Amino acid sequence: MQATADGTKKECSWSSWKGQAIDLLYWRNVKQSGAVFGSVLLLLFSLTQFSVVSVGAYLALAALSATISFRIYKSVLQAVQKTDEGHPFKSYLEVEISLSQDQIGKYADKALLYSNTCMKELRRLFLVQDLIDSLKFAVLMWLLTYVGALFNGLTLLILAVVSMFSMPIVYEKNQAQIDQYVGLIRTQVNSVVGKIQAKIPGAKRKEE
């Protein structure tokens, strides 16, 4: 939920959140995207130097220092000017931030659907329902062992954030060239997979 200019409340739909995320990743508003990108990177780099508890405590202290200082400043200003503007954060305190039963149920249903889909896919891969898909998964896991030896989870997360805020705009500006190279790579991969399927007994897909 969020408040409009006149104080009324409206519910943000999933499509609006999706649109805002796309705008951030494609840098439609440079200042807003830069602020989010810089804040996330600063948080992740802080976690490389300090523990999660320390970073959380420092962030909370910084936020409290800012809000308490602003509250005291407004109180002194109102006393000097002899005005009665009330609490400086009144409009934010009145915003409804609780989740309704319907929203909780909707999110729980989505989480359950994704969990069931993930478990079914893992069962299919580990029990070798399709030999080629299981082999692809094994190759992916083998490659991840090398990735894990080179980078820790936090470094990978930093790289993922940088990619999220850089790759979409790069793709948007060079879509034709990137699609061409991706098509060539896909053709080569399909060719290799086809040769492997032809040589391994029982590897050919049923639908073929």
Side-chain angles (χ1 to χ4, degrees), residues 73-88:
Y73 166 75
K74 293 295 290 186
S75 298
V76 172
L77 192 64
Q78 291 176 24
V80 171
Q81 296 179 348
K82 296 182 179 180
T83 59
D84 188 18
E85 297 179 1
H87 199 291

Side-chain angles (χ1 to χ4, degrees), residues 82-150:
K82 296 182 179 180
T83 59
D84 188 18
E85 297 179 1
H87 199 291
F89 300 117
K90 182 179 179 181
S91 60
Y92 296 101
L93 291 171
E94 293 177 348
V95 174
E96 180 63 46
I97 59 174
S98 61
L99 292 174
S100 66
Q101 290 290 340
D102 292 338
Q103 288 176 315
I104 294 175
K106 181 178 66 175
Y107 296 141
D109 290 341
K110 286 184 178 180
L112 183 62
L113 176 62
Y114 293 145
S115 299
N116 290 336
T117 302
C118 183
M119 288 190 294
K120 289 179 181 178
E121 184 66 15
L122 289 175
R123 181 185 63 181
R124 188 180 71 86
L125 292 170
F126 279 104
L127 298 183
V128 199
Q129 181 177 347
D130 186 284
L131 181 57
I132 293 299
D133 286 345
S134 295
L135 287 174
K136 289 179 181 178
F137 185 66
V139 171
L140 176 61
M141 294 299 102
W142 176 69
L143 292 175
L144 285 179
T145 61
Y146 287 93
V147 173
L150 295 174

